[in-house]
Amino acid sequence: MKGFIFDVEYCWGFQARIAGMSKTSSSYLFPPPSTILGAIAESYNVRKGRSESQGVSTIVDLSKGILSLTFKSLNAIPISFQDLNKVVAIRTSEDEEYPSTVEVYKSFDAPARGKTILSSLDDKPPSLRVVLIVRDSDITVDDLWRIRRIGSKESLVSVTNVNEHDVKRVGKEFETDYAIPVLDDIEISSRGEFLYQFTSLLTEEA
């Protein structure tokens, strides 16, 4: 097993809309693990010379070797909101090309799109720290350094630090401030929109 710890700085925040909702869906408070995995897969595909059409299969393959993928905010709090966005239809449907001066209402739209601002608590850019633990995976440090966005194409990030570590399993229970799934039979305390719980984790090998 090996683990990676890397820090990313956001320019303003991100857009990772909740799946299964309408076109006016809100954005998650923090990027879900699947969004972070997608960012890693994009960089991984570039190194492997794979096309965008192989993105889904790459995520499936990488998921098989991932034991843990979590994160925490270093200096930012999320503010989720929705604003109006002008959408222009560029397509051909039933022999009609859009945008069209005839079918104006089918050519343009202005739905509310969810976004999340990461508001910094200090004078530094809003940052997240991500922990990735893998087994039998060829993800490299270079793949993580080359991540350029986490979220939609507007959710630009800069990777500021990447470290690789050897890890081992431990049975000691301790408190963590990283995001983890809500598990059964685990003590949980709630503070606002965040849940705090106790569980055992993988740690760096001594």
Side-chain angles (χ1 to χ4, degrees):
M1 290 187 297
K2 60 181 178 179
F4 301 93
I5 300 176
F6 61 97
D7 298 339
V8 297
E9 291 182 351
Y10 273 94
C11 295
W12 60 273
F14 66 94
Q15 183 183 53
R17 293 185 293 152
I18 298 174
M21 299 183 69
S22 69
K23 60 185 176 182
T24 59
S25 63
S26 59
S27 179
Y28 288 101
L29 286 176
F30 285 103
S34 57
T35 300
I36 299 175
L37 178 57
I40 298 172
E42 180 184 33
S43 177
Y44 179 90
N45 267 359
V46 171
R47 177 170 63 87
K48 292 288 189 177
R50 299 178 178 178
S51 66
E52 291 184 3
S53 62
Q54 295 175 287
V56 174
S57 60
T58 298
I59 291 178
V60 172
D61 293 339
L62 293 180
S63 297
K64 295 176 181 178
I66 293 179
L67 298 176
S68 179
L69 176 58
T70 184
F71 63 89
K72 70 174 180 179
S73 173
L74 294 180
N75 66 336
I77 58 173
I79 303 174
S80 183
F81 69 100
Q82 291 181 323
D83 62 352
L84 295 178
N85 292 254
K86 182 178 180 180
V87 177
V88 180
I90 302 177
R91 60 190 174 90
T92 300
S93 177
E94 297 180 353
D95 297 327
E96 181 72 31
E97 293 186 356
Y98 297 91
S100 168
T101 56
V102 178
E103 299 287 352
V104 176
Y105 292 104
K106 295 182 180 180
S107 301
F108 305 96
D109 199 358
R113 295 287 178 86
K115 298 180 178 67
T116 299
I117 292 176
L118 292 178
S119 180
S120 177
L121 298 175
D122 51 29
D123 294 330
K124 299 178 181 179
S127 301
L128 294 180
R129 174 163 293 164
V130 180
V131 175
L132 171 67
I133 300 174
V134 297
R135 177 179 57 198
D136 300 328
S137 175
D138 59 347
I139 293 175
T140 67
V141 169
D142 288 340
D143 294 333
L144 305 180
W145 274 116
R146 291 171 180 167
I147 292 174
R148 57 188 179 86
R149 66 184 177 96
I150 299 180
S152 65
K153 62 181 182 297
E154 299 88 3
S155 310
L156 300 178
V157 299
S158 296
V159 179
T160 59
N161 184 49
V162 180
N163 292 303
E164 182 177 349
H165 303 272
D166 293 326
V167 296
K168 66 178 181 179
R169 291 185 180 275
V170 295
K172 183 180 178 181
E173 293 185 353
F174 58 93
E175 186 175 0
T176 178
D177 56 359
Y178 284 87
I180 58 176
V182 177
L183 306 173
D184 294 333
D185 301 323
I186 300 295
E187 180 184 350
I188 298 176
S189 61
S190 177
R191 301 177 186 176
E193 301 207 32
F194 302 97
L195 297 176
Y196 294 82
Q197 65 181 346
F198 291 93
T199 187
S200 60
L201 296 176
L202 298 169
T203 64
E204 181 182 348
E205 187 174 25

